[in-house]
Amino acid sequence: MRTAGFVVLLLVVAAAVFGAARLVDNPYAFFAGYVVLQYIVLATAWNILGGYTGYVNFGTAAFFALGAYSTVALHKLTALPLPAMMLAGGIVSGAVGLGTGYFTLRLRGTYFSIATLAMAVVVQTLITNWSFVGGSRGAYVVRPAEVMGLDYVQYLFLLMLLLAVAAVTIARTIERSRLGTGFAAIRDDEVAAEANGVPTLRLKLVATALSGGLMGMAGAPLPYYVTYLDPASGFSLSYAVNTIAMPLIGGTASWIGPVIGAVLLGTLQQVATVTISSALSLLIVGLLLVGFVVAAPRGIIGWFGK
Amino acid sequence: MDLLQLDLLGNALVSGLLLGAFYAAVTIGVSISFGMLDIVNIAHPAFIILGSYTAYIANTTLGVDPILASIVLLPAFYLLGVAIYTVYDLAFERRGDASIRGLAFFFGLLFITEVTLVLVFGVDYRLVEAVYVGPSISLGPIDLPLRLLVPALVSLALIGALQVFMRHSFTGRAIQAVAQDPLALRLMAANPTRIKRIAFGLSIATASVAGAVLIVIQPVEPSIARDYIGRVFAICVMGGLGSFGGTVAAAMTLGIVESLTATFSGPSWSPAVAFGFLLLTLALRPTGLFGRS
């Protein structure tokens, strides 16, 4: 299928999702749906680096929270519309991704992973000590009641839906381009790829910047969604765990894997959080992650097809 | 610098050194698993917190000294390590696919351990009671709190014992050999998988003692494992992967820098110190400050 046709198809699916959510006519549908969509973006973004090039990022929470805190800062300074803030959050996180990658991607993949863990704590400490964005006390963001006649939560849902369409389109386009071939070469044998003239460092930097940028964009609307943001919730480890678990459970080889993982795990957690408890739902995610990497290394999509 | 500042500096240096000895005990398990076996066990700090909680249970329900309890519990932690390695070996090393999924496996274990501890014990800070928790010895202007001194001595004893084992026993030498050349080890009629299993068991066993000294030094709650991930890997990399002497030197350096930061800039900055150190080490000298280049 051509990319144009694929985008049209995705937009039709997105329109159907939005229409269905409006039919349910329950504000909770939008609240829960927003989280699932946010995880589609995060899981897809993680997979661009983790699944395609084989570099594991443990710092999702940092990229995500940087996007959210860019919005908090911009909200205090200006009156930009939210899509512009999302772009700004994406640029900030993308730049941090580029910087982290530049320093650590020359090393073995393991060091990159450890560095991303470290980066998440450094960024969290900086934000906690930065009183302009609320410091450790957190920041309140007043959410407008509506935008252009649309309820604001529905507006957030719609923006995240469009971002999810964009993220999935980017992932699928990469898979089918020379860039994707280069990424796969890095994942399979980096030394051989380098020897064959693949510009490995440059490709890895493209992947980190793109992946980090998308995570930042996913985080940017968060302050308006929660209306109160503190470092502990913005940098929660559950973002990192979910974002790794979803692609690995769905399957990392193709764009559909993270989407399947995000929809399944995201929905499961929304249900389990309401019916059981949020701690237990996180435990389920951890157990599923370990279970899948041990027993089903190719994820759910490995059960179908070749 | 006036006299008061000098006092502060002296105290900060001493408590940094003591803290550093404790950091070395926290790191020694990772020096074995990551430094020697090339297994990126990022869940190690979570097992240390588990060690804190087992010492806490022994202390509060049976009234046993926490450090003594942790020594009694060494075999249990060793067996836990053997069990984890057995799964890891079957699922990842045999398939030759240890990178992404292996990392995700340990990340999952970290998370499961933390959430389980939260579910069982809640997020309250827990403390232990022992004769050495309160008092301190004064050497002129310098205070030596026993709460730091005893853990530092226990930590150094643990590392010393491991060092003797690695140098002088057949198994210890085989562990050092498996890090360098598993094939040669096989030719010497030793089974690399068995040696690695023992070594990984030992690395998790150290978490029992490290956890007990941790809860003597500071109150513990499940999520503080994360603060130690950065410290542990920073020290391990700075110490030059797998070198015990390097680990102790790097741990003491970090302990002193952290203690100075906490004294002169405030404790809210100290988590960033370890991670900043790690990022700088990785960027500038990935073979470690004390490693061979």
Side-chain angles (χ1 to χ4, degrees), chain B residues 120-178:
Chain B
V120 177
F121 295 99
V123 290
D124 302 331
Y125 279 94
R126 306 286 171 162
L127 292 158
V128 288
E129 284 175 17
V131 282
Y132 43 81
V133 168
S136 61
I137 311 171
S138 292
L139 295 175
I142 308 286
D143 279 322
L144 278 176
L146 288 181
R147 185 180 56 84
L148 282 176
L149 186 62
V150 171
L153 295 177
V154 171
S155 301
L156 293 178
L158 172 75
I159 294 165
L162 273 174
Q163 177 79 328
V164 170
F165 173 77
M166 289 290 181
R167 281 265 172 81
H168 299 289
S169 73
F170 176 80
T171 314
R173 289 180 185 190
I175 290 172
Q176 290 183 302
V178 81

Short mmCIF file of all heavy atoms in Angstrom, two decimals, chain B residues 120-178:
data_model
loop_
_atom_site.label_atom_id
_atom_site.label_comp_id
_atom_site.label_asym_id
_atom_site.label_seq_id
_atom_site.Cartn_x
_atom_site.Cartn_y
_atom_site.Cartn_z
N VAL B 120 3.26 -5.25 49.34
CA VAL B 120 3.33 -5.94 50.63
C VAL B 120 3.56 -4.96 51.78
O VAL B 120 2.89 -5.02 52.81
CB VAL B 120 4.44 -7.01 50.60
CG1 VAL B 120 4.56 -7.67 51.97
CG2 VAL B 120 4.15 -8.05 49.54
N PHE B 121 4.50 -4.02 51.60
CA PHE B 121 4.91 -3.17 52.71
C PHE B 121 4.40 -1.74 52.61
O PHE B 121 4.57 -0.96 53.54
CB PHE B 121 6.44 -3.13 52.82
CG PHE B 121 7.04 -4.46 53.16
CD1 PHE B 121 7.58 -5.27 52.17
CD2 PHE B 121 7.06 -4.91 54.47
CE1 PHE B 121 8.13 -6.49 52.47
CE2 PHE B 121 7.61 -6.14 54.78
CZ PHE B 121 8.14 -6.93 53.79
N GLY B 122 3.84 -1.35 51.46
CA GLY B 122 3.43 0.04 51.30
C GLY B 122 4.63 0.92 51.01
O GLY B 122 5.75 0.42 50.87
N VAL B 123 4.39 2.23 50.93
CA VAL B 123 5.48 3.15 50.56
C VAL B 123 6.05 3.87 51.78
O VAL B 123 6.77 4.84 51.63
CB VAL B 123 5.02 4.17 49.51
CG1 VAL B 123 4.79 3.50 48.18
CG2 VAL B 123 3.77 4.89 49.96
N ASP B 124 5.74 3.40 53.00
CA ASP B 124 6.31 4.04 54.19
C ASP B 124 7.79 3.71 54.30
O ASP B 124 8.23 2.64 53.88
CB ASP B 124 5.63 3.52 55.46
CG ASP B 124 4.13 3.76 55.42
OD1 ASP B 124 3.74 4.75 54.77
OD2 ASP B 124 3.39 2.97 56.02
N TYR B 125 8.55 4.66 54.88
CA TYR B 125 9.96 4.39 55.14
C TYR B 125 10.09 3.43 56.32
O TYR B 125 9.38 3.58 57.32
CB TYR B 125 10.69 5.70 55.45
CG TYR B 125 11.06 6.45 54.21
CD1 TYR B 125 10.23 7.45 53.71
CD2 TYR B 125 12.23 6.17 53.51
CE1 TYR B 125 10.56 8.15 52.56
CE2 TYR B 125 12.57 6.85 52.38
CZ TYR B 125 11.73 7.84 51.90
OH TYR B 125 12.07 8.51 50.76
N ARG B 126 10.98 2.44 56.21
CA ARG B 126 11.18 1.46 57.28
C ARG B 126 12.56 1.65 57.90
O ARG B 126 13.52 1.99 57.20
CB ARG B 126 11.06 0.03 56.73
CG ARG B 126 9.80 -0.23 55.98
CD ARG B 126 8.64 -0.36 56.93
NE ARG B 126 7.38 -0.41 56.20
CZ ARG B 126 6.26 -0.86 56.73
NH1 ARG B 126 6.22 -1.28 57.97
NH2 ARG B 126 5.15 -0.87 56.02
N LEU B 127 12.65 1.37 59.20
CA LEU B 127 13.91 1.51 59.94
C LEU B 127 14.23 0.22 60.66
O LEU B 127 13.35 -0.60 60.89
CB LEU B 127 13.75 2.57 61.02
CG LEU B 127 13.57 4.02 60.61
CD1 LEU B 127 12.92 4.77 61.73
CD2 LEU B 127 14.93 4.61 60.28
N VAL B 128 15.51 0.04 61.02
CA VAL B 128 15.87 -1.09 61.89
C VAL B 128 16.42 -0.56 63.20
O VAL B 128 16.80 0.61 63.30
CB VAL B 128 16.92 -2.02 61.24
CG1 VAL B 128 16.32 -2.81 60.12
CG2 VAL B 128 18.13 -1.23 60.79
N GLU B 129 16.44 -1.43 64.20
CA GLU B 129 17.03 -1.05 65.49
C GLU B 129 18.25 -1.92 65.75
O GLU B 129 18.22 -3.13 65.54
CB GLU B 129 16.01 -1.25 66.61
CG GLU B 129 14.97 -0.14 66.63
CD GLU B 129 13.90 -0.40 67.66
OE1 GLU B 129 14.14 -1.23 68.56
OE2 GLU B 129 12.85 0.23 67.55
N ALA B 130 19.34 -1.27 66.17
CA ALA B 130 20.54 -1.99 66.55
C ALA B 130 21.33 -1.07 67.47
O ALA B 130 21.11 0.15 67.45
CB ALA B 130 21.37 -2.36 65.31
N VAL B 131 22.24 -1.64 68.26
CA VAL B 131 22.96 -0.83 69.25
C VAL B 131 23.78 0.26 68.58
O VAL B 131 24.02 1.32 69.17
CB VAL B 131 23.90 -1.70 70.13
CG1 VAL B 131 23.10 -2.42 71.19
CG2 VAL B 131 24.70 -2.67 69.29
N TYR B 132 24.22 0.01 67.32
CA TYR B 132 25.11 0.97 66.67
C TYR B 132 24.35 2.01 65.85
O TYR B 132 24.97 2.77 65.10
CB TYR B 132 26.14 0.25 65.80
CG TYR B 132 25.57 -0.88 64.99
CD1 TYR B 132 24.91 -0.62 63.81
CD2 TYR B 132 25.65 -2.19 65.44
CE1 TYR B 132 24.35 -1.65 63.09
CE2 TYR B 132 25.09 -3.22 64.72
CZ TYR B 132 24.45 -2.95 63.55
OH TYR B 132 23.89 -3.96 62.83
N VAL B 133 23.04 2.05 65.92
CA VAL B 133 22.32 3.01 65.08
C VAL B 133 22.41 4.43 65.64
O VAL B 133 22.57 5.38 64.90
CB VAL B 133 20.84 2.57 64.87
CG1 VAL B 133 20.03 3.70 64.25
CG2 VAL B 133 20.80 1.36 63.96
N GLY B 134 22.35 4.58 66.96
CA GLY B 134 22.34 5.93 67.54
C GLY B 134 23.70 6.60 67.73
O GLY B 134 23.96 7.65 67.16
N PRO B 135 24.61 6.00 68.54
CA PRO B 135 25.79 6.73 69.03
C PRO B 135 26.86 7.02 67.99
O PRO B 135 26.82 6.48 66.88
CB PRO B 135 26.35 5.79 70.10
CG PRO B 135 25.86 4.44 69.73
CD PRO B 135 24.55 4.63 69.06
N SER B 136 27.78 7.90 68.36
CA SER B 136 28.92 8.14 67.47
C SER B 136 30.16 8.40 68.30
O SER B 136 30.09 8.77 69.47
CB SER B 136 28.63 9.31 66.53
OG SER B 136 28.42 10.48 67.28
N ILE B 137 31.34 8.17 67.67
CA ILE B 137 32.62 8.43 68.33
C ILE B 137 33.10 9.79 67.87
O ILE B 137 32.95 10.14 66.69
CB ILE B 137 33.67 7.38 67.91
CG1 ILE B 137 33.10 5.97 68.04
CG2 ILE B 137 34.94 7.52 68.72
CD1 ILE B 137 34.01 4.91 67.44
N SER B 138 33.67 10.59 68.79
CA SER B 138 34.21 11.88 68.38
C SER B 138 35.73 11.84 68.40
O SER B 138 36.34 11.43 69.38
CB SER B 138 33.71 12.99 69.32
OG SER B 138 32.34 13.17 69.14
N LEU B 139 36.34 12.25 67.28
CA LEU B 139 37.79 12.39 67.21
C LEU B 139 38.06 13.88 67.02
O LEU B 139 38.04 14.37 65.89
CB LEU B 139 38.38 11.61 66.03
CG LEU B 139 38.26 10.09 66.06
CD1 LEU B 139 38.79 9.50 64.77
CD2 LEU B 139 39.04 9.53 67.25
N GLY B 140 38.25 14.61 68.11
CA GLY B 140 38.40 16.07 67.99
C GLY B 140 37.15 16.65 67.36
O GLY B 140 36.03 16.35 67.79
N PRO B 141 37.31 17.45 66.31
CA PRO B 141 36.13 18.06 65.69
C PRO B 141 35.37 17.09 64.77
O PRO B 141 34.29 17.41 64.30
CB PRO B 141 36.71 19.22 64.89
CG PRO B 141 38.11 18.80 64.57
CD PRO B 141 38.55 17.91 65.69
N ILE B 142 35.96 15.94 64.49
CA ILE B 142 35.36 15.01 63.54
C ILE B 142 34.44 14.03 64.27
O ILE B 142 34.86 13.40 65.24
CB ILE B 142 36.44 14.21 62.78
CG1 ILE B 142 37.49 15.13 62.16
CG2 ILE B 142 35.80 13.30 61.74
CD1 ILE B 142 37.04 15.89 60.95
N ASP B 143 33.22 13.88 63.79
CA ASP B 143 32.30 12.90 64.35
C ASP B 143 32.32 11.65 63.49
O ASP B 143 32.26 11.73 62.26
CB ASP B 143 30.86 13.45 64.34
CG ASP B 143 30.63 14.36 65.53
OD1 ASP B 143 31.15 14.04 66.62
OD2 ASP B 143 29.95 15.38 65.37
N LEU B 144 32.42 10.49 64.16
CA LEU B 144 32.32 9.23 63.43
C LEU B 144 31.04 8.52 63.87
O LEU B 144 31.05 7.82 64.87
CB LEU B 144 33.52 8.33 63.76
CG LEU B 144 34.82 8.56 63.02
CD1 LEU B 144 35.88 7.62 63.56
CD2 LEU B 144 34.64 8.34 61.53
N PRO B 145 29.93 8.73 63.16
CA PRO B 145 28.71 8.04 63.57
C PRO B 145 28.85 6.54 63.34
O PRO B 145 29.26 6.11 62.26
CB PRO B 145 27.63 8.65 62.67
CG PRO B 145 28.33 9.46 61.65
CD PRO B 145 29.78 9.52 61.95
N LEU B 146 28.52 5.76 64.36
CA LEU B 146 28.61 4.30 64.23
C LEU B 146 27.66 3.78 63.15
O LEU B 146 27.92 2.76 62.52
CB LEU B 146 28.30 3.63 65.56
CG LEU B 146 29.36 3.77 66.65
CD1 LEU B 146 28.93 3.04 67.90
CD2 LEU B 146 30.69 3.24 66.16
N ARG B 147 26.56 4.51 62.96
CA ARG B 147 25.59 4.17 61.93
C ARG B 147 26.24 4.10 60.54
O ARG B 147 25.77 3.42 59.64
CB ARG B 147 24.50 5.24 61.95
CG ARG B 147 23.31 5.06 61.06
CD ARG B 147 22.38 6.25 61.26
NE ARG B 147 23.06 7.52 61.00
CZ ARG B 147 23.20 8.04 59.79
NH1 ARG B 147 22.73 7.43 58.75
NH2 ARG B 147 23.82 9.20 59.64
N LEU B 148 27.35 4.88 60.35
CA LEU B 148 28.09 4.83 59.08
C LEU B 148 29.34 3.97 59.20
O LEU B 148 29.72 3.29 58.24
CB LEU B 148 28.51 6.24 58.66
CG LEU B 148 27.45 7.14 58.03
CD1 LEU B 148 28.02 8.52 57.77
CD2 LEU B 148 26.94 6.54 56.74
N LEU B 149 29.97 4.01 60.40
CA LEU B 149 31.24 3.31 60.56
C LEU B 149 31.06 1.79 60.47
O LEU B 149 31.80 1.11 59.76
CB LEU B 149 31.86 3.69 61.92
CG LEU B 149 33.26 3.14 62.18
CD1 LEU B 149 34.25 3.67 61.16
CD2 LEU B 149 33.73 3.48 63.60
N VAL B 150 30.05 1.24 61.18
CA VAL B 150 29.84 -0.21 61.16
C VAL B 150 29.54 -0.71 59.75
O VAL B 150 30.17 -1.65 59.27
CB VAL B 150 28.75 -0.62 62.18
CG1 VAL B 150 28.37 -2.08 62.01
CG2 VAL B 150 29.22 -0.34 63.59
N PRO B 151 28.58 -0.07 59.01
CA PRO B 151 28.35 -0.51 57.63
C PRO B 151 29.61 -0.44 56.77
O PRO B 151 29.86 -1.33 55.96
CB PRO B 151 27.30 0.47 57.12
CG PRO B 151 26.56 0.87 58.32
CD PRO B 151 27.57 0.94 59.41
N ALA B 152 30.43 0.61 56.96
CA ALA B 152 31.64 0.73 56.14
C ALA B 152 32.57 -0.45 56.41
O ALA B 152 33.11 -1.04 55.46
CB ALA B 152 32.33 2.05 56.45
N LEU B 153 32.73 -0.80 57.69
CA LEU B 153 33.62 -1.92 58.02
C LEU B 153 33.06 -3.24 57.48
O LEU B 153 33.80 -4.05 56.91
CB LEU B 153 33.83 -2.00 59.53
CG LEU B 153 34.57 -0.79 60.13
CD1 LEU B 153 34.67 -0.90 61.64
CD2 LEU B 153 35.97 -0.67 59.50
N VAL B 154 31.74 -3.44 57.66
CA VAL B 154 31.13 -4.67 57.13
C VAL B 154 31.30 -4.74 55.62
O VAL B 154 31.64 -5.79 55.06
CB VAL B 154 29.63 -4.73 57.52
CG1 VAL B 154 28.93 -5.88 56.81
CG2 VAL B 154 29.46 -4.84 59.01
N SER B 155 31.12 -3.61 54.95
CA SER B 155 31.25 -3.57 53.49
C SER B 155 32.66 -3.96 53.06
O SER B 155 32.85 -4.77 52.15
CB SER B 155 30.96 -2.16 52.97
OG SER B 155 29.67 -1.77 53.31
N LEU B 156 33.66 -3.37 53.73
CA LEU B 156 35.04 -3.67 53.35
C LEU B 156 35.37 -5.13 53.62
O LEU B 156 36.08 -5.77 52.84
CB LEU B 156 36.01 -2.73 54.07
CG LEU B 156 35.88 -1.27 53.63
CD1 LEU B 156 36.82 -0.38 54.42
CD2 LEU B 156 36.17 -1.13 52.13
N ALA B 157 34.80 -5.68 54.73
CA ALA B 157 35.02 -7.10 55.04
C ALA B 157 34.43 -7.98 53.94
O ALA B 157 35.05 -8.96 53.50
CB ALA B 157 34.41 -7.43 56.39
N LEU B 158 33.22 -7.62 53.49
CA LEU B 158 32.57 -8.39 52.42
C LEU B 158 33.42 -8.40 51.16
O LEU B 158 33.67 -9.46 50.56
CB LEU B 158 31.19 -7.76 52.11
CG LEU B 158 30.45 -8.30 50.90
CD1 LEU B 158 29.85 -9.66 51.22
CD2 LEU B 158 29.34 -7.34 50.47
N ILE B 159 33.92 -7.22 50.78
CA ILE B 159 34.72 -7.13 49.56
C ILE B 159 36.04 -7.87 49.73
O ILE B 159 36.50 -8.57 48.82
CB ILE B 159 34.94 -5.65 49.18
CG1 ILE B 159 33.59 -5.03 48.81
CG2 ILE B 159 35.92 -5.52 48.03
CD1 ILE B 159 33.60 -3.54 48.78
N GLY B 160 36.63 -7.74 50.92
CA GLY B 160 37.88 -8.46 51.19
C GLY B 160 37.70 -9.96 51.06
O GLY B 160 38.51 -10.64 50.42
N ALA B 161 36.60 -10.47 51.63
CA ALA B 161 36.35 -11.91 51.56
C ALA B 161 36.17 -12.35 50.11
O ALA B 161 36.72 -13.38 49.69
CB ALA B 161 35.10 -12.24 52.37
N LEU B 162 35.44 -11.56 49.33
CA LEU B 162 35.25 -11.91 47.91
C LEU B 162 36.57 -11.89 47.16
O LEU B 162 36.83 -12.76 46.32
CB LEU B 162 34.29 -10.91 47.25
CG LEU B 162 32.80 -11.22 47.35
CD1 LEU B 162 32.00 -10.07 46.79
CD2 LEU B 162 32.47 -12.50 46.59
N GLN B 163 37.41 -10.91 47.49
CA GLN B 163 38.69 -10.78 46.81
C GLN B 163 39.57 -12.01 47.08
O GLN B 163 40.17 -12.56 46.16
CB GLN B 163 39.39 -9.49 47.29
CG GLN B 163 40.77 -9.28 46.72
CD GLN B 163 40.72 -8.74 45.30
OE1 GLN B 163 39.81 -9.05 44.54
NE2 GLN B 163 41.70 -7.94 44.93
N VAL B 164 39.58 -12.44 48.35
CA VAL B 164 40.34 -13.64 48.70
C VAL B 164 39.81 -14.85 47.93
O VAL B 164 40.57 -15.63 47.35
CB VAL B 164 40.27 -13.90 50.23
CG1 VAL B 164 40.84 -15.26 50.57
CG2 VAL B 164 41.02 -12.80 50.97
N PHE B 165 38.49 -14.96 47.87
CA PHE B 165 37.87 -16.08 47.15
C PHE B 165 38.24 -16.05 45.67
O PHE B 165 38.62 -17.08 45.08
CB PHE B 165 36.34 -16.00 47.31
CG PHE B 165 35.60 -16.99 46.48
CD1 PHE B 165 35.53 -18.33 46.86
CD2 PHE B 165 34.96 -16.60 45.30
CE1 PHE B 165 34.85 -19.24 46.09
CE2 PHE B 165 34.28 -17.51 44.52
CZ PHE B 165 34.23 -18.84 44.92
N MET B 166 38.19 -14.86 45.05
CA MET B 166 38.48 -14.76 43.62
C MET B 166 39.94 -15.06 43.32
O MET B 166 40.27 -15.63 42.29
CB MET B 166 38.17 -13.33 43.13
CG MET B 166 36.70 -13.02 43.08
SD MET B 166 35.89 -13.93 41.76
CE MET B 166 34.22 -13.35 41.95
N ARG B 167 40.84 -14.67 44.25
CA ARG B 167 42.27 -14.86 44.01
C ARG B 167 42.71 -16.29 44.24
O ARG B 167 43.51 -16.82 43.51
CB ARG B 167 43.07 -13.96 44.96
CG ARG B 167 43.15 -12.52 44.53
CD ARG B 167 44.45 -12.27 43.75
NE ARG B 167 44.45 -10.94 43.17
CZ ARG B 167 44.76 -9.85 43.85
NH1 ARG B 167 45.12 -9.95 45.13
NH2 ARG B 167 44.75 -8.69 43.28
N HIS B 168 42.17 -16.90 45.32
CA HIS B 168 42.82 -18.11 45.80
C HIS B 168 42.05 -19.40 45.61
O HIS B 168 42.61 -20.47 45.78
CB HIS B 168 43.20 -17.93 47.28
CG HIS B 168 44.15 -16.79 47.49
ND1 HIS B 168 45.46 -16.84 47.08
CD2 HIS B 168 43.97 -15.55 47.99
CE1 HIS B 168 46.05 -15.69 47.34
NE2 HIS B 168 45.17 -14.88 47.89
N SER B 169 40.76 -19.34 45.27
CA SER B 169 40.05 -20.61 45.08
C SER B 169 40.00 -20.93 43.59
O SER B 169 40.10 -20.04 42.74
CB SER B 169 38.63 -20.51 45.64
OG SER B 169 37.85 -19.71 44.79
N PHE B 170 39.82 -22.21 43.29
CA PHE B 170 39.74 -22.62 41.89
C PHE B 170 38.54 -21.97 41.22
O PHE B 170 38.64 -21.41 40.13
CB PHE B 170 39.63 -24.15 41.80
CG PHE B 170 39.45 -24.63 40.38
CD1 PHE B 170 40.55 -24.72 39.53
CD2 PHE B 170 38.18 -24.91 39.88
CE1 PHE B 170 40.38 -25.14 38.22
CE2 PHE B 170 38.02 -25.30 38.57
CZ PHE B 170 39.12 -25.43 37.74
N THR B 171 37.36 -22.04 41.92
CA THR B 171 36.15 -21.45 41.34
C THR B 171 36.34 -19.96 41.10
O THR B 171 35.95 -19.43 40.05
CB THR B 171 34.96 -21.68 42.29
OG1 THR B 171 35.00 -23.04 42.72
CG2 THR B 171 33.66 -21.40 41.60
N GLY B 172 36.94 -19.27 42.07
CA GLY B 172 37.16 -17.84 41.92
C GLY B 172 38.00 -17.53 40.69
O GLY B 172 37.68 -16.64 39.90
N ARG B 173 39.07 -18.30 40.51
CA ARG B 173 39.91 -18.06 39.33
C ARG B 173 39.17 -18.39 38.05
O ARG B 173 39.33 -17.72 37.03
CB ARG B 173 41.17 -18.91 39.43
CG ARG B 173 42.09 -18.40 40.50
CD ARG B 173 43.31 -19.26 40.55
NE ARG B 173 44.16 -18.86 41.66
CZ ARG B 173 45.38 -19.32 41.82
NH1 ARG B 173 45.88 -20.17 40.95
NH2 ARG B 173 46.11 -18.92 42.82
N ALA B 174 38.33 -19.44 38.14
CA ALA B 174 37.55 -19.80 36.95
C ALA B 174 36.58 -18.69 36.59
O ALA B 174 36.34 -18.42 35.41
CB ALA B 174 36.79 -21.11 37.19
N ILE B 175 36.01 -18.02 37.60
CA ILE B 175 35.10 -16.90 37.32
C ILE B 175 35.84 -15.80 36.59
O ILE B 175 35.36 -15.24 35.60
CB ILE B 175 34.48 -16.36 38.63
CG1 ILE B 175 33.51 -17.38 39.21
CG2 ILE B 175 33.76 -15.04 38.39
CD1 ILE B 175 33.00 -17.04 40.59
N GLN B 176 37.06 -15.50 37.06
CA GLN B 176 37.83 -14.47 36.36
C GLN B 176 38.18 -14.91 34.94
O GLN B 176 38.20 -14.10 34.02
CB GLN B 176 39.10 -14.16 37.14
CG GLN B 176 38.81 -13.45 38.44
CD GLN B 176 40.08 -13.09 39.17
OE1 GLN B 176 40.89 -13.95 39.49
NE2 GLN B 176 40.27 -11.81 39.41
N ALA B 177 38.38 -16.21 34.77
CA ALA B 177 38.74 -16.72 33.45
C ALA B 177 37.56 -16.68 32.50
O ALA B 177 37.70 -16.38 31.32
CB ALA B 177 39.26 -18.15 33.57
N VAL B 178 36.34 -16.98 33.02
CA VAL B 178 35.19 -17.04 32.14
C VAL B 178 34.91 -15.68 31.54
O VAL B 178 34.38 -15.55 30.43
CB VAL B 178 33.95 -17.61 32.88
CG1 VAL B 178 33.26 -16.56 33.70
CG2 VAL B 178 32.96 -18.22 31.89
#
